[in-house]
Amino acid sequence: MSRKRFRDYGFAVGKLPTGKHNSITDVPGVTVGHVTLHTDTQDSSVRTGVTAILPHGGNVFREKVAAASYVINGFGKTTGLVQVNELGTVESPIMLTNTFSVPAVTEGALQYMMDVDAGIGEQAGSINIVTGECNDRLLNDMRGLHVRPKHAVEAIRQAAGDRPVAEGAVGAGTGMVCFGCKGGIGSSSRRITISGKDCHIGVLVLTNFGRAEDLTILGQPVGAHLRDKAMERGRGNNDGSIIIVLGTDVPMDARQLRRVAKRAGIGLARTGSIAHHGSGDIVIAFSNGNRFQHEPEVDLVSSTILREDGPLMSECFRAAADATEEAIYNSLFMAESTRGHNGSEVQALSVEIVLPFLNNMQGKQ
């Protein structure tokens, strides 16, 4: 059975409309690029990669975007989030990879930005690179350090927008395991009308978390059903991790973005996660609806932000939760069975069993 996105089977999460592509790239200016490493040698199997999310098409260092992060559970290894939360901006591509490749990917993104802007490291000062990770050691020879800085540069250069994001076992998601099934990259978006203008909240996830029996889809105990069918499950890390990148063109400041980022955790919980002890569950949120010059020419700057005491803020909360939930489903529905390091194998989600179960459960409601 060919892999399709969750919504292609006639299911939907929530009532808000999606963007054109139901992807984070529905946010104007946002682009995503992947580099996938899927090779075998006599000594190792490489199942890993890099994913780059660019907040807009310009020089993000010179024209920063409002940003915040929210840590649901902090068993993770990231770069750059301390400064993001201190200053409330992102000034680099947001990079995703495996745990041991954070230094190489950070170096690659740094090299790319220095090539773009000769002032970085000189008169313009330093730059804060944001990199997140999940552990793909089951399927990938992570000790081999196969991701190099050049792969980060390539992922950034490959970034494209106004099209659906490639999902499943691609980029940083190549070797990831989710709820005992093959996981990886997933994305979704929601459209909100503000003052007569369509705005978007988009989510991209890197999924590598969850116990097989806990998988829940649209409130139904899918994982327990699969277990009852005695299906072979993946031997992944039951704790695992997830990185959630939330982008929007809704004008928000860092404090508001942090509030929205928290609601991504609601979407995560709906899928069956309890943010286990060893899970790194981290949300990185940005708005390219508010941009800040690196060297403003005035001492006082102003920006427009969303009204907070009206219904629109709650709609943004809903959009974040719903898009996160559906992005996780897409990462599962789109990922293919993968063989990897030391003879390991992780099966794709058994759509042929899940779909009849979901349809039957919906028919009973």
Side-chain angles (χ1 to χ4, degrees), residues 327-357:
I328 293 169
Y329 296 157
N330 282 334
S331 77
L332 287 162
F333 274 73
M334 289 296 290
E336 298 179 345
S337 299
T338 302
R339 293 184 178 182
H341 192 49
N342 291 329
S344 60
E345 182 174 1
V346 178
Q347 297 293 320
L349 180 71
S350 301
V351 177
E352 66 275 11
I353 295 178
V354 170
L355 291 180
F357 176 71

Side-chain angles (χ1 to χ4, degrees), residues 194-214:
I194 300 176
S195 298
K197 175 187 176 183
D198 284 343
C199 295
H200 295 82
I201 289 180
V203 169
L204 182 145
V205 295
L206 175 62
T207 62
N208 191 57
F209 70 95
R211 296 179 178 175
E213 62 269 23
D214 290 337

Side-chain angles (χ1 to χ4, degrees), residues 50 59 67 78 84 295 317 319:
V50 183
N59 183 335
T78 61
V84 169
E295 296 175 330
F317 293 165

Side-chain angles (χ1 to χ4, degrees), residues 10-345:
F11 299 108
V13 176
K15 298 179 180 180
L16 290 175
T18 70
K20 176 182 177 182
H21 302 297
N22 191 19
S23 175
I24 193 172
T25 49
D26 289 323
V27 179
V30 173
T31 57
V32 175
H34 300 298
V35 166
T36 299
L37 304 181
H38 191 292
T39 60
D40 293 291
T41 68
Q42 185 175 356
D43 300 321
S44 67
S45 294
V46 182
R47 304 287 186 269
T48 193
V50 183
T51 295
I53 303 99
L54 280 63
H56 62 72
N59 183 335
V60 186
F61 175 71
R62 295 288 177 174
E63 196 175 12
K64 310 174 197 307
V65 295
S69 73
Y70 178 68
V71 178
I72 300 167
N73 194 65
F75 202 98
K77 296 81 181 168
T78 61
T79 66
L81 297 189
V82 171
Q83 181 170 315
V84 169
N85 287 336
E86 181 70 21
L87 300 184
T89 59
V90 156
E91 59 184 14
S92 77
I94 298 169
M95 311 298 296
L96 305 177
T97 190
N98 77 65
T99 306
F100 284 3
S101 297
V102 169
V105 168
T106 301
E107 180 183 347
L110 173 61
Q111 185 62 61
Y112 174 87
M113 292 302 296
M114 288 194 298
D115 291 343
V116 166
D117 192 319
I120 294 174
E122 295 290 347
Q123 74 276 8
S126 64
I127 184 173
N128 182 52
I129 304 294
V130 174
T131 307
E133 56 78 33
C134 292
N135 190 317
D136 59 11
R137 71 177 184 271
L138 175 66
L139 290 168
N140 176 51
D141 172 28
M142 200 164 67
R143 285 175 55 87
L145 303 178
H146 300 283
V147 174
R148 305 314 308 150
K150 67 179 182 180
H151 297 125
V153 173
E154 183 181 351
I156 297 171
R157 289 177 175 166
Q158 291 291 328
D162 195 24
R163 67 185 67 177
V165 171
E167 296 171 307
V170 296
T174 304
M176 302 303 174
V177 182
C178 186
F179 290 113
C181 301
K182 187 67 190 73
I185 297 292
S187 191
S188 186
S189 71
R190 295 296 183 270
R191 187 175 76 248
I192 298 173
T193 301
I194 300 176
S195 298
K197 175 187 176 183
D198 284 343
C199 295
H200 295 82
I201 289 180
V203 169
L204 182 145
V205 295
L206 175 62
T207 62
N208 191 57
F209 70 95
R211 296 179 178 175
E213 62 269 23
D214 290 337
L215 173 60
T216 303
I217 298 180
L218 297 179
Q220 303 303 326
V222 170
H225 179 68
L226 292 175
R227 180 193 58 203
D228 292 343
K229 292 291 183 180
M231 295 201 57
E232 181 180 350
R233 312 301 292 157
R235 295 180 291 105
N237 180 354
N238 284 334
D239 286 358
S241 294
I242 181 171
I243 302 293
I244 302 169
V245 179
L246 185 152
T248 184
D249 59 337
V250 177
M252 295 185 183
D253 61 17
R255 184 186 58 78
Q256 291 177 322
L257 283 166
R258 181 174 169 82
R259 297 189 71 203
V260 174
K262 291 179 181 179
R263 274 61 183 190
I266 295 173
L268 173 63
R270 290 175 185 167
T271 68
S273 171
I274 62 165
H276 289 91
H277 160 72
S279 185
D281 304 329
I282 298 169
V283 188
I284 304 166
F286 67 87
S287 168
N288 62 19
N290 267 327
R291 307 185 190 185
F292 304 94
Q293 299 300 314
H294 180 68
E295 296 175 330
E297 298 179 354
V298 295
D299 293 327
L300 298 176
V301 297
S302 61
S303 60
T304 300
I305 62 172
L306 183 67
R307 172 185 170 185
E308 214 149 346
D309 61 349
L312 288 174
M313 183 59 75
S314 291
E315 286 295 275
C316 291
F317 293 165
R318 185 186 303 277
D322 289 353
T324 299
E325 180 182 359
E326 187 166 345
I328 293 169
Y329 296 157
N330 282 334
S331 77
L332 287 162
F333 274 73
M334 289 296 290
E336 298 179 345
S337 299
T338 302
R339 293 184 178 182
H341 192 49
N342 291 329
S344 60
E345 182 174 1

